[in-house]
Amino acid sequence: STTSAVILAANPSRLDATIWNDSSVVMYITFGATATSAASAWALTASSRTTLGQLLAPGVMYTGAVSAVLASSTGNARCTELS
């Protein structure tokens, strides 16, 4: 959807999380409650995966909310969280 959504709720026990862009368009990911294409931290290409650990500096884990929005069309963010 082109509407921002929280894909991972805040979790102080988070050790890592995997995010899979299960769509045919770019997914914009950001820390916090609202993602936009203009103010996102990362752009995840279509049908690709990443982990929060890959996006951050070694030894750092973000435990707040993570949000995403698709560039267009429909699709899903599939997430697995380790805590």
Side-chain angles (χ1 to χ4, degrees):
S1 169
T2 56
T3 302
S4 178
V6 173
I7 59 172
L8 289 168
N11 179 356
S13 299
R14 181 181 297 142
L15 300 175
D16 205 350
T18 299
I19 302 168
W20 174 29
N21 177 4
D22 186 14
S23 78
S24 59
V25 297
V26 172
M27 177 184 292
Y28 298 98
I29 302 169
T30 195
F31 294 146
T34 306
T36 67
S37 59
S40 66
W42 301 277
L44 190 58
T45 58
S47 300
S48 63
R49 296 178 184 167
T50 192
T51 66
L52 289 183
Q54 291 173 318
L55 300 174
L56 300 168
V60 174
M61 182 47 53
Y62 176 74
T63 60
V66 179
S67 298
V69 64
L70 293 173
S72 63
S73 188
T74 60
N76 295 294
R78 308 223 185 254
C79 303
T80 302
E81 183 175 55
L82 305 172
S83 56

